[in-house]
């Protein structure tokens, strides 16, 4: 018999199986999900043995507990596979920050916008901060218009999640990507794979063209004129 958990101890998430189920009766579910009904634990264990399956307690807090007939080894394997796949697809949301001045020139604005576009394409959120200096603090409309323009310029990639808000000398806005990070990363990988394939195909095409050019040049080259025997002799040599 399993000893009771002490206060502060870890709670096991392992399901109770077969003889570890210590209740007089259970609500039994068949291997196909069919409801068998409330049966004695002895009868449930017998049905599991006859079907060459395990009796697994899937809802221990129910009254009576719910148990299901299943292949527990297969169940654990599939659960582990799903957990690994979930961890593989799990991505952490990253918030990038981009700082601008309210009177930024067009060239710098284009550069900053390019960074924002790159962050959004990668699936990251972007916090835009407008920094005011001196008397600029009394012209919040300058920062608001700039943030509004940036949001419109990248609206095909992101949406405003936190609208412009001024806090002292700064005004901030958060833009969230339209695509999930996992989707964005998958697209980046696909683009890289396509680019690599195109470069390989281009190199192979150049090599084939170069080979064909060399072969054509070899075929069209004028044959060498054979030299007569007299031309091979030293002219000063007596016949």
């Amino acid at each position: 018999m399993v000893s009771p958990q002490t206060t502060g101890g870890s709670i096991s998430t392992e399901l109770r199986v077969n003889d570890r189920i210590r209740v007089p009766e259970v609500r039994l579910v068949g291997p196909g999900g069919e409801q068998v009904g409330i049966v004695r634990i002895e009868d449930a264990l017998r049905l599991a043995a006859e079907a060459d399956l395990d009796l697994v307690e899937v809802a221990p807090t129910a009254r009576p507990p719910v148990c299901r007939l299943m292949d527990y080894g297969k169940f654990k394997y599939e659960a582990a596979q799903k957990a690994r796949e979930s961890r593989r697809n799990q991505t952490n949301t990253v918030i990038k920050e981009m700082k601008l001045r309210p009177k930024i020139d067009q060239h710098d604005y284009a550069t900053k916008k390019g960074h924002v576009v790159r962050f959004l394409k990668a699936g990251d959120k972007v916090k835009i901060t407008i920094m005011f200096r001196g008397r600029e603090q009394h012209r919040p409309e300058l920062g608001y218009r700039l943030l509004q323009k940036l949001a419109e310029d990248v609206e095909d990639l992101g949406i405003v999640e936190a609208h412009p808000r001024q806090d002292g000398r700064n005004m901030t806005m958060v833009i969230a990507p339209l695509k999930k990070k996992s989707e964005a990363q998958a697209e980046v990988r696909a683009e890289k794979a396509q680019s690599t394939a195109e470069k390989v195909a281009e190199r192979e095409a150049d090599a084939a063209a170069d080979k064909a050019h060399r072969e054509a040049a070899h075929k069209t080259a004028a044959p060498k004129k054979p030299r007569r025997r007299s031309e091979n002799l030293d002219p000063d040599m007596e016949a």
Side-chain angles (χ1 to χ4, degrees):
M1 183 174 180
V2 180
S3 60
Q5 294 284 350
T6 58
T7 303
S10 60
I11 300 176
S12 174
T13 58
E14 189 79 11
L15 298 176
R16 292 195 294 183
V17 182
N18 297 328
D19 294 336
R20 294 183 58 199
I21 304 174
R22 307 282 184 169
V23 291
E25 60 183 14
V26 298
R27 184 178 298 278
L28 186 62
V29 180
E34 64 276 13
Q35 296 290 332
V36 177
I38 298 176
V39 300
R40 295 187 308 163
I41 187 63
E42 295 83 3
D43 295 333
L45 289 170
R46 177 179 54 79
L47 290 173
E50 291 175 353
D52 195 22
L53 295 172
D54 298 300
L55 182 66
V56 182
E57 188 180 51
V58 294
T61 58
R63 292 291 178 267
V66 179
C67 294
R68 182 167 182 170
L69 299 176
M70 67 172 72
D71 184 338
Y72 188 56
K74 181 180 179 182
F75 169 79
K76 289 187 68 176
Y77 173 78
E78 292 177 348
Q81 289 288 92
K82 290 180 180 179
R84 280 195 292 269
E85 186 67 22
S86 177
R87 288 193 298 270
R88 187 180 300 115
N89 293 332
Q90 183 179 5
T91 53
N92 297 323
T93 301
V94 178
I95 298 181
K96 303 289 188 177
E97 185 173 10
M98 186 60 55
K99 296 182 178 181
L100 294 80
R101 293 294 310 283
K103 296 181 180 180
I104 188 171
D105 62 58
Q106 189 60 32
H107 175 75
D108 287 343
Y109 173 80
T111 301
K112 299 284 188 177
K113 186 184 74 173
H115 293 313
V116 174
V117 168
R118 178 164 53 85
F119 294 148
L120 293 174
K121 283 185 175 180
D124 296 322
K125 293 183 180 181
V126 187
K127 178 182 178 182
I128 314 297
T129 300
I130 304 296
M131 301 179 298
F132 296 97
R133 292 181 182 176
R135 297 181 180 179
E136 293 175 347
Q137 298 180 59
H138 305 294
R139 301 284 306 278
E141 68 278 5
L142 296 177
Y144 181 81
R145 284 200 296 265
L146 182 58
L147 292 175
Q148 190 175 35
K149 171 179 171 55
L150 182 58
E152 292 174 354
D153 288 345
V154 299
E155 62 183 357
D156 57 331
L157 298 173
I159 185 172
V160 176
E161 183 178 78
H163 291 276
R165 181 175 63 88
Q166 187 168 6
D167 182 13
R169 295 185 177 184
N170 296 330
M171 179 179 288
T172 60
M173 178 181 72
V174 177
I175 302 178
L178 293 178
K179 295 181 180 179
K180 295 180 180 179
K181 192 172 181 66
S182 57
E183 296 176 353
Q185 290 177 340
E187 287 187 359
V188 170
R189 288 194 295 269
E191 290 177 359
K192 288 183 178 179
Q194 182 179 356
S195 176
T196 301
E198 290 176 352
K199 290 179 179 178
V200 171
E202 184 178 353
R203 286 198 297 268
E204 291 177 349
D206 290 342
D210 185 60
K211 180 180 179 181
H213 177 73
R214 290 198 304 270
E215 290 177 350
H218 180 72
K219 289 180 181 179
T220 57
K224 293 183 178 180
K225 180 180 179 182
R227 298 174 63 183
R228 295 192 299 273
R229 179 176 176 79
S230 60
E231 294 176 345
N232 292 329
L233 298 177
D234 189 342
D236 297 332
M237 184 180 295
E238 295 181 356

